[in-house]
Amino acid sequence: MKEVRVRFAPSPTGFLHIGGARTALFNYFFARQNKGQLVLRIEDTDSVRQKEDSIGQILDSLKWLGIDWDEGPDQGGDFGAYYQSQRLSFYSNAAAELIQSRKAYYCFCTEEELETERKRQRKEGTLIRYSGKCRELSKNEVRERLEQGLKPVIRIKLADFDQIIVNDLIRGLVKFKSDQFDDFIIIKSNSLPAYNFACVVDDHAMRISHVIRAEEHLSNTPKQQYLYEALGYTIPKFAHLSMILAPDRSKLSKRHGATSVSEFKDMGCLPEAIINYLTLLGWSPGEGKSELISPEQTIRSFSLDKVSKTAAVYDIQKLVWLNGQYITEYNLEKLTLYAVPFLIQAGIVSSIEAEQNHSYISAVVKTVRERVRTLQELAEASRYFFKDIIMYDEKGKEKYFRQENVAILLSEGKERLAGIEDFNVENTEKAYRNLMEELDIKGGQIIHPTRLALTGRTVSPGLFDVMALLGKKRCLERLEQAIDYINKMKS
RNA sequence: GGCCCCAUAGUCAAGAGGCCUAAGACGCCGCCCUCUCACGGCGGAAACAGGGGUUCGAAUCCCCUUGGGGCUACCA
């Protein structure tokens, strides 16, 4: 069987958004499943829309997600270069060949001329097509104009045909009638190739066997197929993935909140969770299978004909839920590593402290992880393990600190804690349980105010886990602080 | 406007003519567990866009309408 080679071909116009990431991911799944190659190609032929550093961002996001490729701009490969801007000779050679065989021609029409023509066609209600005016220019006429310094485009000369049929692996046979096409541009007047041309030349030169890309390219495929035939290339297999839409079903854009991989990263999503989420967007592991699925599992059962044809609206809530699942299951050491930057970012620890207190941080992460869903939440939930209490939760204050005799209760508690030698979860709990029994009170009566005193909040991990982590000294100090505070509240 | 793709709950999705009184997951609601929150457990509300065919039988096949998306650029 022919070797499977697929590619992901982003254009560097911004961050890697989730649609692009999913396209990359499905290419990756397909390549790995078929023991094929994934190549990364940068489509940077539009100098106007290029964004500085976009390539670096995209590569970083891909790597961070754990999507690795076999050939590409950073590590090279046998079919380079991997930037279209460095492959210009491929395109001009291919175009020259087409001109030579009279399948393409120079066109000197200016943009203004074309615009007037289009305007007229719009008014007349006819199809908007290039007239083919420059088709019949003689060699001499072309040479003359070239010598005048005019910058032509090169257009493909469409032969008569009835229709073009695209056989899409996901959508089946798709037919396009010939009247939809005109002599489209393959080389722009700045000598750079137009997308449809560059794409064909490169996919052929790079021996791409399967073109797996977003649905927005489905309508371009007949043009590309025409070009394959004109150039005598064999046509690869195509698979067009449905689009990913914003919650209002419009195209994804910045106004829809987080849409790029880097934004999800900044929110505190784990790469594995994003991968898992993206896997589920347009593909399903099948009936009765868990939705928590690793790339390895997906690679085993992935299949393009099971990919959904329907555009998907992404749902950040499910991503966040998945992320929470990953946070609780994650390797603790790795999770700590991911968490530290968020603690620093939130001003909870300094980078120096982070290095010195690694094992303490890890212990905090361990007790907090189960009830947070993002690393940002994790940082926030960890604050009082590092910082003193400067304020108490408003509602909690009213509810617990105004309880009768609460100060006395807390000082009792403090007393008991003070007497503990080995200040751990079991012993602190035992001390408190004994106290409750002696005073004949219910747990909540002392546990809630204590929690507020120790954490400043009404919500936390189990109280005795908090105590053990905080340590005896800080527990006693915070109880003292709360008692003072309560006494001041009264007066 | 023309052409193309798509259409199962709020969202992702299973479903390939009878197994459908339509899975599962997120979210939502209720209950249980419980020191709070989360986790977990149990239960609930919630969908085949509409209309025509074909068929003994349609979520599944065909047609139309509607809706959404894409392409129609010297963007990719």
Side-chain angles (χ1 to χ4, degrees), chain A residues 7-75:
Chain A
R7 82 315 193 267
F8 176 57
S11 61
T13 54
F15 298 111
L16 179 67
H17 64 91
I18 53 173
R22 196 204 37 180
T23 302
L25 182 64
F26 282 21
N27 270 287
Y28 169 81
F29 286 150
F30 189 76
R32 295 292 166 261
Q33 180 180 53
N34 293 287
K35 307 263 181 294
Q37 314 285 307
L38 172 59
V39 349
L40 194 63
R41 180 176 74 222
I42 307 298
E43 309 220 320
D44 56 348
T45 57
D46 178 10
S47 42
V48 181
R49 295 201 318 159
Q50 301 289 320
K51 295 236 178 75
E52 194 62 33
D53 203 36
S54 176
I55 295 168
Q57 295 273 9
I58 291 171
L59 298 192
D60 285 350
S61 288
L62 249 17
K63 282 180 197 157
W64 180 77
L65 285 172
I67 297 174
D68 50 24
W69 53 91
D70 305 291
E71 298 169 26
D74 47 356
Q75 79 271 51

Side-chain angles (χ1 to χ4, degrees), chain A residues 133-202:
Chain A
K133 189 174 155 197
C134 296
R135 259 191 182 204
E136 307 306 334
L137 252 34
S138 71
K139 276 195 175 139
N140 284 337
E141 284 173 303
V142 169
R143 193 187 318 120
E144 260 172 44
R145 298 190 191 193
L146 253 21
E147 277 164 7
Q148 283 169 34
L150 293 175
K151 295 263 184 272
V153 300
I154 299 177
R155 290 180 182 272
I156 187 78
K157 187 195 280 178
L158 251 43
D160 278 342
F161 61 91
D162 189 36
Q163 60 175 3
I164 295 177
I165 301 178
V166 173
N167 188 185
D168 188 273
L169 260 19
I170 295 173
R171 276 150 227 282
L173 264 26
V174 185
K175 296 172 187 157
F176 297 86
K177 280 191 281 226
S178 63
D179 64 358
Q180 292 306 307
F181 307 105
D182 62 3
D183 290 350
F184 57 92
I185 292 169
I186 57 175
I187 300 281
K188 301 184 271 188
S189 59
N190 61 8
S191 315
L192 294 174
Y195 166 74
N196 283 312
F197 189 61
C199 192
V200 166
V201 171
D202 286 340

Side-chain angles (χ1 to χ4, degrees), chain A residues 15 30 43 76 129 136 152 181 237 251 255 272 296 308 310 315 318 322 344 395 419 429 434 443 449 456 480:
Chain A
F15 298 111
F30 189 76
E43 309 220 320
R129 298 288 94 96
E136 307 306 334
F181 307 105
K237 301 243 189 295
K251 202 170 178 176
R255 72 191 162 87
E272 288 84 349
E296 293 70 32
S308 167
T310 320
D315 175 19
K318 183 150 182 177
L322 270 168
I344 294 171
K395 282 183 191 153
E429 174 150 20
N434 287 341
E480 189 59 43

Side-chain angles (χ1 to χ4, degrees), chain A residues 34 119 126 140 150-151 159 185 189 267 293 376 422 446 468:
Chain A
N34 293 287
K119 245 184 223 157
T126 53
N140 284 337
L150 293 175
K151 295 263 184 272
I185 292 169
S189 59
M267 269 172 55
I293 185 171
Q376 262 183 20
D422 188 5
I446 184 164

Side-chain angles (χ1 to χ4, degrees), chain A residues 264-282:
Chain A
F264 292 125
K265 180 186 180 188
D266 293 344
M267 269 172 55
C269 288
L270 262 11
E272 288 84 349
I274 298 177
I275 291 287
N276 195 150
Y277 180 70
L278 257 19
T279 301
L280 261 19
L281 213 53

